[in-house]
């Protein structure tokens, strides 16, 4: 990595010339607007206090020492993993920081202090993603043992509230932290530097999230597959403590299903905001007098941030209201459909957010001409409604109660693992079709609504509308994160219950009754935990299409900002850039699709190779002798964790450097006149290549991610139906569903989810890469430098398979 950084610096520092930058100059806000947004700090600090209150509330909950001990081991394992990832992210920051420093320091001739400010905000973005990931993992590892112990009390509502409270704490915390950082940039960073600071901040958080998502997804599925296959091979029970893969699996649930989504959610919220800010500054009021332009831009910025602040309030309010409904209707029940209160929370938040959107918009932008407050509220509400509708569509293919899951169970019973896998593929493909139609419908409605925006106010208002749809998806961001974080807590709780061996402890019933004041019900506890894990699987699946949809719809706004920059620098009209008559457009589309399919293959290969080594080690070291210690072996468990960590780290290095190098290579290939004859008409046509590459990456990534996520969700809950509803553990049917689940593991929790930050990082970093490429002093050598980066990318593409192979030649 150090050598790569030196190569990048040598290549880029060879050119020193001047050019204009993106001109993302943030307008000055009025005193009233400043005061309004200053209130946002109060809301955010109260939100952080809410998150910390729940954190300490769950930490103080009672749990048996045997369960607390297991939970502590899991956290220590996760801590070691996160520290190693942090070291790698530091190296990535050095590389990315070199590019940022070169662009602003050399090409833009910024002062050292100005470059340092941008790099500071890039670092803050990285630390933001990394710190909320730490908070999420600590919150979940407190909640898992408390939930495992609470299952003994025959109070299913408590088993709902613990993981949901933990998830809400994480969701509110990460969004409030992100909002505080962005408000500081908006209100206190000098106007001429605020736009660059926003870009630097977004690149930083996207960098951190990408690395954590990729590595976490690889880690968790190596461990999960290694643990699950032992159930077939040795006919042992779920989460058998003698299985060295179980501890690693528990750590992976947090590394992949907690760290990844938490950092991803933080980044998604920030990057979507930066995309809208960029559009507002570049596309609104350009044909108006300067005073009117500043008025409209500052009004829109204030409105966007005020809406974000209100969304924190609506999410917390909806959460408490839903909790009261749950208490009223379900508190005294001994059996509970855990999906029902979660579904109610999602819909309640969506509807309340829509109402608040219209009310707040009336007061904030009701004075603007043409009933803009109605138009813009309707567009945002498309996204907010979609954030509730998309989970419902997703459930059709992934819920334990769905027809597709029932079909997969039936196919597995007669056709074994073969028909199980085929049925899951069908579910994934059908889900991509129907959810694709939902995205089209939402974007079409927003496009129609955008036609009512005055033409002289902004250019291409439909693009702004698409960004607002993505913004609406995040209108219930804390709740989306909460239901996503619900899954790893329920999954870990089930494992902790088994690993603690609490049922086998001497006089345990008497001890619990004496020390904790209730008589435990062990059989009911196991049923609750397994049923709740099914709900967790479902809602993990429902959050994924919302996040990937946000990435794609929001990326369209950021890509258009890039198109406007190209128009300003080169005079190329936007409608000419993506013409199908331009051969570079077609080539860019093909390049984006190629990278998506390589990425999914490379990430699954890292899981396959790592799982092979893990399974090999576990088979050789598992001790199932009658007189063997029933507790988990710390030494063998640590070795499995080491295998998972090493392969996750190696896989992430290969993938991330290739993605990073592809972005630079394809941007540099798009330099004007790079490949055309000097002075020819085709001189500027090549700029289309990188733009179409970004669009292709988003579109191919959307459908690949939805297909893989929902196929995996279907396989996951097919196994859960076999275990919980049918009670057929240890049967041939169960074996078939376990095989299907291990296929689905990297589908849903590695490749699909990592496409989200990859799309956003490439789009954001692409802004800088393309600015360098079209710089007048860089154009002549840009394609040749691009060839070097393409070679670097291809080396790591080669390594992603040939250095990760199971069979070494």
């Amino acid at each position: 990595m150090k050598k790569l950084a030196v190569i990048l610096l040598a290549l880029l520092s060879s050119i020193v010339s001047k050019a204009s930058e993106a001109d993302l100059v943030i307008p000055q806000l009025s005193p009233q607007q400043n005061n309004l947004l200053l209130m946002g700090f109060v809301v955010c600090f109260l939100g952080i206090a809410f998150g910390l209150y729940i954190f300490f509330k769950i930490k103080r909950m009672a749990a048996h020492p045997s369960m607390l001990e297991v939970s502590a081991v899991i956290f220590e394992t996760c801590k070691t993993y996160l520290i190693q990832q942090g070291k790698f992210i530091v190296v990535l920051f050095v590389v990315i920081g070199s590019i940022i420093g070169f662009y602003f320091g050399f090409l833009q001739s910024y002062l050292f202090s100005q470059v340092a400010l941008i790099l500071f905000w890039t670092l803050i973005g990285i630390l933001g993603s990394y710190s909320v990931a730490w908070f999420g993992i600590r919150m979940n590892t407190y909640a898992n043992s408390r939930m495992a112990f609470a299952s003994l009390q025959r109070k299913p509502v408590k088993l709902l509230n613990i993981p949901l409270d933990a998830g809400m704490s994480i969701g509110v915390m990460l969004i409030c932290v992100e909002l505080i950082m962005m408000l500081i940039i908006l209100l206190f960073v000098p106007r001429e530097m605020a736009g660059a600071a926003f870009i630097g901040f977004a690149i930083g958080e996207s960098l951190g999230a990408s690395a954590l998502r990729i590595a976490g997804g690889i880690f968790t599925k190596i461990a999960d597959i290694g643990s699950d296959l032992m159930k077939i091979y040795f006919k042992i029970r779920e989460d058998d403590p003698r299985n060295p893969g179980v501890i690693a699996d528990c750590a992976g649930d947090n590394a992949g299903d907690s760290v990844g989504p938490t950092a991803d959610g933080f980044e998604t919220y920030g990057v979507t905001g930066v995309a809208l800010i960029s559009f507002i500054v570049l596309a609104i009021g350009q044909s108006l007098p300067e005073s009117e332009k500043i008025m409209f831009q500052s009004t829109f910025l204030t409105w966007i941030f005020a809406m974000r602040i209100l969304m924190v309030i609506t999410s917390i309010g909806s959460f408490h209201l839903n909790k009261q409904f749950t208490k009223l209707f379900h508190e005294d029940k001994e059996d509970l459909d855990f999906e029902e209160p979660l579904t109610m929370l999602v819909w309640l938040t969506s509807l309340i957010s829509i109402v608040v959107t219209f009310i707040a918009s009336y007061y904030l932008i009701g004075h603007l001409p043409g009933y803009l407050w109605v138009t813009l509220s309707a567009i945002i509400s498309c996204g907010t409604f979609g954030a509730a509708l998309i989970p419902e569509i997703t459930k059709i293919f992934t819920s334990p109660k769905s027809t597709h899951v029932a079909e997969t169970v039936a196919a597995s019973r007669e056709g074994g693992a073969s028909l199980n896998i085929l049925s899951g593929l069908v579910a994934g493909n059908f889900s991509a079709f129907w959810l694709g139609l939902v995205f089209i419908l939402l974007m079409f409605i927003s496009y129609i609504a955008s036609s009512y925006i005055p033409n002289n106010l902004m250019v291409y208002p439909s693009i702004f509308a698409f960004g607002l749809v993505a913004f609406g998806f995040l209108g219930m961001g804390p709740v989306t994160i909460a239901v996503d974080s619900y899954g790893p807590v329920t999954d870990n709780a089930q494992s902790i219950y088994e690993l603690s061996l609490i049922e086998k402890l001497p006089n345990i019933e008497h001890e619990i009754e004496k020390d904790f004041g209730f008589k435990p019900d062990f059989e009911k506890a196991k049923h609750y935990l397994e049923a709740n894990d099914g709900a967790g699987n479902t809602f993990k699946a429902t959050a994924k299409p919302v996040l990937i949809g946000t990435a794609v719809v929001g990326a369209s706004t950021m890509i258009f900002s890039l198109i406007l920059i190209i128009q300003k620098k080169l005079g190329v009209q936007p409608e000419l850039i993506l013409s199908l008559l331009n051969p570079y457009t077609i080539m860019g589309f093909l390049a984006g699709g190629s990278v998506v399919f390589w990425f999914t293959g490379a990430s699954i290969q890292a899981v396959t190779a790592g799982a092979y080594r893990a399974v090999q080690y576990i088979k050789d070291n598992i001790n199932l002798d009658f007189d063997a210690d029933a507790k988990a072996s710390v030494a063998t468990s640590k070795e499995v964790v080491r295998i998972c960590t090493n392969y996750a780290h190696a896989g992430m290095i290969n993938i991330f450097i290739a993605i990073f190098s592809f972005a630079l290579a394809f941007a540099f290939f798009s330099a004007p006149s790079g490949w055309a004859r000097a002075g020819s008409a085709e001189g500027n046509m090549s700029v289309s290549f990188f733009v179409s590459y970004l669009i292709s990456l988003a579109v191919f990534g959307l459908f690949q991610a939805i297909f893989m996520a929902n196929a995996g969700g279907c396989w996951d809950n097919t196994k859960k139906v076999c275990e919980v509803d049918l009670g057929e553990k240890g049967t041939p049917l169960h074996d078939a569903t376990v095989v299907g689940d291990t296929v689905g593991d990297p589908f849903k929790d590695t490749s699909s989810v990592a496409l989200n930050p990859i799309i956003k990082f490439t789009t954001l970093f692409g802004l800088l890469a393309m600015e360098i490429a079209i710089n007048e002093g860089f154009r002549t050598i840009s394609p040749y430098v691009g060839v070097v980066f393409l070679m670097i990318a291809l080396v790591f593409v080669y390594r992603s398979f040939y250095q990760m192979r199971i069979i070494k030649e």
Side-chain angles (χ1 to χ4, degrees):
M1 288 301 299
K2 291 180 180 177
K3 291 181 179 178
L4 179 63
V6 171
I7 292 171
L8 294 174
L9 280 171
L11 286 170
L12 295 177
S13 61
S14 62
I15 299 111
V16 180
S17 59
K18 296 183 180 181
S20 61
E21 52 110 14
D23 292 330
L24 292 177
V25 179
I26 306 299
Q28 191 70 45
L29 304 183
S30 70
Q32 294 85 354
Q33 291 168 336
N34 271 306
N35 291 335
L36 177 63
L37 294 183
L38 284 172
M39 291 298 296
F41 286 105
V42 177
V43 173
C44 289
F45 284 123
L46 289 174
I48 290 173
F50 167 82
L52 291 174
Y53 167 76
I54 293 181
F55 179 88
F56 288 110
K57 173 186 171 184
I58 290 178
K59 182 181 178 181
R60 288 192 297 269
M61 286 183 177
H64 194 270
S66 63
M67 294 178 172
L68 293 175
E69 180 183 347
V70 177
S71 183
V73 171
I74 293 169
F75 175 66
E76 288 302 315
T77 304
C78 294
K79 188 164 69 173
T80 302
Y81 161 80
L82 265 179
I83 290 171
Q84 179 166 338
Q85 292 311 111
K87 293 176 182 177
F88 178 69
I89 291 174
V90 169
V91 178
L92 289 180
F93 171 68
V94 172
V95 176
I96 300 295
S98 302
I99 305 292
I100 293 173
F102 167 75
Y103 173 70
F104 287 103
F106 286 94
L107 295 182
Q108 298 300 319
S109 299
Y110 275 34
L111 298 175
F112 176 81
S113 59
Q114 293 175 313
V115 176
L117 179 66
I118 298 168
L119 290 175
F120 169 77
W121 282 107
T122 304
L123 182 60
I124 290 296
I126 293 172
L127 291 176
S129 290
Y130 191 64
S131 62
V132 296
W134 270 97
F135 180 80
I137 214 167
R138 180 70 277 194
M139 179 77 266
N140 284 350
T141 48
Y142 278 139
N144 55 19
S145 54
R146 277 69 178 178
M147 181 180 174
F149 186 66
S151 67
L152 297 168
Q153 300 180 38
R154 297 180 69 96
K155 293 181 179 179
V157 168
K158 194 169 185 177
L159 298 185
L160 171 80
N161 287 336
I162 292 175
L164 190 54
D165 286 0
M168 199 67 191
S169 171
I170 296 168
V172 172
M173 178 68 75
L174 73 88
I175 285 176
C176 287
V177 169
E178 191 273 341
L179 252 179
I180 286 173
M181 293 176 179
M182 294 194 73
L183 282 170
I184 290 173
I185 296 175
L186 180 67
L187 297 177
F188 301 114
V189 172
R191 299 296 86 190
E192 68 277 7
M193 292 299 301
F198 273 125
I199 295 294
F201 174 69
I203 289 175
E205 58 183 352
S206 191
L207 171 69
S210 299
L212 292 170
R213 252 306 193 189
I214 295 169
I218 295 171
F219 183 107
T220 182
K221 294 305 110 180
I222 292 173
D224 203 349
I225 292 170
S227 176
D228 277 355
L229 289 180
M230 296 306 103
K231 293 185 288 188
I232 299 175
Y233 192 82
F234 292 112
K235 297 297 180 184
I236 58 178
R237 69 183 187 276
E238 182 93 14
D239 299 319
D240 192 312
R242 298 171 296 176
N243 181 355
V246 173
I247 291 289
D249 186 18
C250 291
D253 287 338
N254 289 285
D257 295 340
S258 176
V259 168
T262 303
D264 192 0
F266 180 84
E267 175 241 11
T268 297
Y269 207 71
V271 170
T272 304
V274 170
L276 287 171
I277 291 168
S278 300
F279 186 93
I280 289 170
V281 172
L282 292 170
I284 289 182
Q286 298 302 321
S287 62
L288 298 174
E290 186 67 17
S291 60
E292 288 187 45
K293 182 179 80 169
I294 292 174
M295 185 276 292
F296 275 110
Q297 288 184 357
S298 61
T299 300
F300 273 90
L301 286 172
T302 304
W303 172 68
I304 286 288
F305 274 86
M307 296 304 297
R308 290 172 140 233
I309 294 163
L310 287 171
M311 288 167 184
V312 174
I313 299 172
T314 57
S315 293
I316 294 175
S318 301
F319 167 72
H320 283 295
L321 190 58
N322 184 70
K323 182 171 277 193
Q324 293 304 313
F325 285 144
T326 302
K327 182 178 180 181
L328 180 64
F329 294 114
H330 302 291
E331 186 173 34
D332 297 326
K333 293 181 179 178
E334 286 196 6
D335 287 294
L336 175 63
D337 179 354
F338 291 102
E339 287 190 19
E340 186 180 320
L342 295 173
T343 300
M344 179 180 286
L345 173 61
V346 170
W347 279 104
L348 190 63
T349 308
S350 177
L351 296 175
I352 291 176
S353 296
I354 289 172
V355 172
V356 170
T357 295
F358 277 90
I359 295 173
S361 295
Y362 174 77
Y363 284 102
L364 291 169
I365 57 174
H367 62 283
L368 296 181
Y371 292 98
L372 269 176
W373 72 274
V374 176
T375 300
L376 298 179
S377 296
I379 294 171
I380 288 184
S381 297
C382 280
T384 309
F385 179 75
L389 178 62
I390 289 169
E392 291 302 311
I393 303 295
T394 303
K395 281 192 224 174
I396 294 172
F397 305 96
T398 60
S399 172
K401 296 176 285 188
S402 72
T403 303
H404 277 276
V405 169
E407 175 83 359
T408 308
V409 172
S412 307
R413 188 178 295 280
E414 296 300 326
S418 177
L419 290 188
N420 172 281
I421 291 170
L422 290 173
S423 293
L425 293 174
V426 169
N429 280 297
F430 271 76
S431 71
F433 170 78
W434 288 110
L435 285 171
L437 291 186
V438 170
F439 285 119
I440 292 170
L441 178 63
L442 293 174
M443 295 177 78
F444 177 72
I445 293 172
S446 69
Y447 162 69
I448 296 298
S450 71
S451 65
Y452 291 92
I453 297 176
N455 291 330
N456 65 336
L457 181 59
M458 68 176 69
V459 294
Y460 301 99
S462 59
I463 303 299
F464 185 57
F466 293 162
L468 288 181
V469 171
F471 183 82
F473 281 155
L474 298 172
M476 40 195 288
V479 169
T480 301
I481 298 298
V483 297
D484 193 16
S485 297
Y486 190 93
V489 176
T490 59
D491 201 349
N492 259 200
Q494 189 178 4
S495 300
I496 285 174
Y497 182 94
E498 297 291 345
L499 289 168
S500 69
L501 298 172
I502 192 165
E503 293 181 58
K504 298 181 180 179
L505 297 178
N507 300 317
I508 186 62
E509 291 190 30
H510 176 72
E511 178 189 340
I512 291 175
E513 194 165 7
K514 177 185 175 184
D515 294 344
F516 300 98
F518 67 90
K519 187 173 183 178
D521 187 332
F522 297 111
E523 290 305 313
K524 199 69 173 176
K526 287 183 283 190
H527 172 76
Y528 285 148
L529 291 173
E530 288 182 327
N532 210 353
D533 190 28
N537 290 339
T538 300
F539 277 86
K540 277 193 300 183
T542 63
K544 290 173 180 133
V546 175
L547 290 175
I548 188 66
T550 303
V552 173
V553 178
S556 65
T557 305
M558 185 64 77
I559 292 168
F560 189 73
S561 296
L562 175 59
I563 292 173
L564 291 179
I565 291 171
I566 293 171
Q567 180 187 25
K568 183 173 183 178
K569 298 286 184 65
L570 304 176
V572 182
Q573 294 304 308
E575 57 268 23
L576 298 179
I577 290 178
L578 294 177
S579 169
L580 292 179
L581 299 178
N582 183 345
Y584 291 99
T585 298
I586 304 298
M587 290 187 286
F589 287 150
L590 293 174
S594 300
V595 169
V596 167
F597 279 88
W598 158 75
F599 170 79
T600 53
S603 52
I604 291 177
Q605 175 63 16
V607 172
T608 303
Y612 175 86
R613 301 298 176 199
V615 168
Q616 190 178 55
Y617 176 82
I618 293 170
K619 284 181 178 178
D620 292 341
N621 291 275
I622 193 170
N623 189 350
L624 300 177
D625 293 341
F626 180 78
D627 58 347
D629 190 351
K631 295 186 70 174
S633 166
V634 175
T636 55
S637 296
K638 282 185 175 180
E639 180 59 24
V640 177
V641 169
R642 187 192 67 80
I643 293 170
C644 296
T645 303
N646 287 348
Y647 276 88
H649 194 63
M652 180 185 65
I653 289 173
N654 291 330
I655 290 169
F656 195 88
I657 294 178
I659 289 289
F660 166 79
S661 299
F662 275 132
L664 285 170
F666 293 157
F668 291 168
F669 286 161
S670 300
S673 303
W675 303 107
R677 299 187 312 276
S680 66
E682 297 85 10
N684 287 332
M685 291 176 67
S686 59
V687 295
S688 176
F689 180 75
F690 188 62
V691 175
S692 56
Y693 167 71
L694 294 178
I695 293 173
S696 177
L697 198 69
V699 174
F700 274 93
L702 171 69
F703 286 99
Q704 182 79 329
I706 291 175
F707 155 69
M708 298 183 84
N710 289 338
C714 179
W715 284 316
D716 198 356
N717 271 338
T718 296
K719 183 187 76 168
K720 193 58 61 178
V721 167
C722 177
E723 294 172 344
V724 179
D725 298 345
L726 303 179
E728 295 194 35
K729 286 185 179 181
T731 64
L733 172 63
H734 187 230
D735 290 350
T737 63
V738 169
V739 171
D741 182 41
T742 56
V743 174
D745 279 336
F747 267 51
K748 65 184 175 64
D749 291 326
T750 306
S751 299
S752 64
V753 292
L755 278 166
N756 179 17
I758 288 298
I759 291 168
K760 285 176 291 186
F761 172 77
T762 304
T763 304
L764 272 168
F765 185 67
L767 285 174
L768 279 184
M770 194 63 183
E771 286 246 34
I772 294 171
I774 63 178
N775 180 274
E776 190 172 347
F778 193 83
R779 295 177 198 172
T780 54
I781 70 162
S782 183
Y784 306 105
V785 179
V787 169
V788 176
F789 278 107
L790 180 61
M791 292 300 102
I792 294 173
L794 293 178
V795 165
F796 283 93
V797 168
Y798 178 90
R799 287 170 54 90
S800 68
F801 177 72
Y802 287 99
Q803 294 299 313
M804 303 291 287
R805 291 180 65 189
I806 293 170
I807 301 173
K808 300 292 184 182
E809 295 177 352

